[in-house]
Amino acid sequence: MPAIWHTHAPISGVITVEGNGRRLCLLGEDGIHVEGHGDIRLSLSSAELLAYLALRDGHWARRPAIIRAMWPDAPEQQGRRLLSRLLWRTNRDLPERLIEAEGELVSLTDGLTSDWEQALVVIESIEETGALPVPEGAALLRRPLMAEVSASWADEQRAHWDRQRFHALLRVGQMLLADGHVRQAEDTASFLTSWDPLDEPSHELLVRSLIGMGAPGRAAESLRALDKRLRRELGVEADPQLFALLRQGS
């Protein structure tokens, strides 16, 4: 599948994201769906199949691999029947054909991209150019992947996605702080520390942002809570350099 999301960095250095074609929404709590077809509710199996194919990054998937992922306990012939029916039903339920099958190979059509692909472009641009994404791009990184799919293969994909987006959001927060956008940096840091309460780099961003906002009391409170939790759960103390930030900012 050709890449149809791209970025461009205007003079301000802020990355914008553009795209064309039909978009498959894999991120967020609203369920997997095709944008523009909100009134059409996909079955969970159809949603999982579209997600599996989308996460192949444009590559064809072989039928046995799809069957092992979606019906790991099914005998081969039963799995093949289940997949054939699912392919037919998924294409039937949408007003246009979105899945192609040629013998053993299955793929999404070229006209369908995903918000996950868009988010990967945002992450890549953050890493390569050091430019801030537009708010819509950064918002994609706050959304979980395939929230409604509980299969083992999806758990692995989610874990990888979470590592990618956590690191990218931390970088965004650091860039926001460096550019003087302290409130936006604090909002990003608060999101990250709520997500992973034991992550010290996120707490450092939070402390620096709160000090920049003129709220050293809140910064001290957040560090005390971090230190208490680290002692209780891991048996270690918070990095002393975090407390040194408080003294420097007071």
Side-chain angles (χ1 to χ4, degrees), residues 172-182 185 204-205 208-209 212:
V172 167
Q174 292 166 341
M175 289 190 291
L176 286 168
L177 183 62
D179 287 352
H181 305 296
V182 291
E204 178 182 347
L205 175 63
R208 291 184 182 276
S209 301

Side-chain angles (χ1 to χ4, degrees), residues 191-210:
F191 176 82
L192 293 173
T193 54
S194 296
W195 182 359
D196 186 351
L198 300 181
D199 184 69
E200 290 186 297
S202 301
H203 279 276
E204 178 182 347
L205 175 63
L206 180 61
V207 168
R208 291 184 182 276
S209 301
L210 289 170

Side-chain angles (χ1 to χ4, degrees), residues 133-239:
V134 293
E136 293 82 358
L140 289 174
L141 306 184
R142 296 197 180 202
R143 299 174 188 169
L145 175 66
M146 299 181 294
E148 64 182 338
V149 180
S150 58
S152 296
W153 73 267
D155 292 339
E156 296 173 4
Q157 290 281 355
R158 269 193 296 270
H160 182 61
W161 163 245
D162 285 346
R163 289 192 296 271
Q164 286 181 294
R165 68 190 182 110
F166 192 96
H167 176 77
L169 282 169
L170 179 60
R171 181 74 183 105
V172 167
Q174 292 166 341
M175 289 190 291
L176 286 168
L177 183 62
D179 287 352
H181 305 296
V182 291
R183 292 191 180 277
Q184 292 170 274
E186 186 275 333
D187 178 70
T188 302
S190 294
F191 176 82
L192 293 173
T193 54
S194 296
W195 182 359
D196 186 351
L198 300 181
D199 184 69
E200 290 186 297
S202 301
H203 279 276
E204 178 182 347
L205 175 63
L206 180 61
V207 168
R208 291 184 182 276
S209 301
L210 289 170
I211 290 173
M213 291 169 57
R218 288 178 57 194
E221 181 181 351
S222 71
L223 278 187
R224 286 193 295 267
L226 170 64
D227 188 60
K228 181 178 180 180
R229 191 158 190 168
L230 284 171
R231 289 173 185 269
R232 182 179 69 248
E233 298 188 21
L234 300 181
V236 299
E237 300 178 356
D239 188 342

Side-chain angles (χ1 to χ4, degrees), residues 9-193:
I11 296 175
S12 65
V14 177
I15 296 170
T16 62
V17 182
E18 300 175 353
N20 53 31
R22 187 72 69 185
R23 188 168 80 150
L24 175 66
C25 296
L26 303 176
L27 304 177
E29 303 286 355
D30 296 335
I32 296 169
H33 61 279
V34 178
E35 202 168 62
H37 298 322
D39 56 332
I40 300 174
R41 183 65 184 176
L42 292 168
S43 71
L44 183 56
S45 295
S46 292
E48 183 178 348
L49 176 61
L50 288 172
Y52 181 89
L53 295 174
L55 294 171
R56 298 283 298 172
D57 198 23
H59 300 295
W60 290 84
R62 296 186 62 83
R63 287 178 186 259
I66 301 172
I67 292 167
R68 286 194 299 271
M70 298 191 64
W71 304 284
D73 299 324
E76 181 180 353
Q77 289 306 313
Q78 179 187 2
R80 286 183 174 275
R81 288 194 297 271
L82 289 170
L83 178 56
S84 293
R85 286 199 295 267
L86 181 58
L87 288 168
W88 174 81
R89 189 171 67 242
T90 303
N91 275 329
R92 178 204 64 186
D93 289 345
L94 291 166
E96 58 195 283
R97 189 176 184 86
L98 298 179
I99 301 176
E100 297 175 339
E102 296 181 7
E104 287 288 277
L105 302 179
V106 182
S107 180
L108 296 180
T109 64
D110 287 346
L112 184 66
T113 187
S114 70
D115 55 357
W116 173 76
E117 290 177 88
Q118 179 185 7
L120 290 185
V121 172
V122 172
I123 290 174
E124 182 181 356
S125 298
I126 291 169
E127 294 174 347
E128 292 187 356
T129 70
L132 284 168
V134 293
E136 293 82 358
L140 289 174
L141 306 184
R142 296 197 180 202
R143 299 174 188 169
L145 175 66
M146 299 181 294
E148 64 182 338
V149 180
S150 58
S152 296
W153 73 267
D155 292 339
E156 296 173 4
Q157 290 281 355
R158 269 193 296 270
H160 182 61
W161 163 245
D162 285 346
R163 289 192 296 271
Q164 286 181 294
R165 68 190 182 110
F166 192 96
H167 176 77
L169 282 169
L170 179 60
R171 181 74 183 105
V172 167
Q174 292 166 341
M175 289 190 291
L176 286 168
L177 183 62
D179 287 352
H181 305 296
V182 291
R183 292 191 180 277
Q184 292 170 274
E186 186 275 333
D187 178 70
T188 302
S190 294
F191 176 82
L192 293 173
T193 54

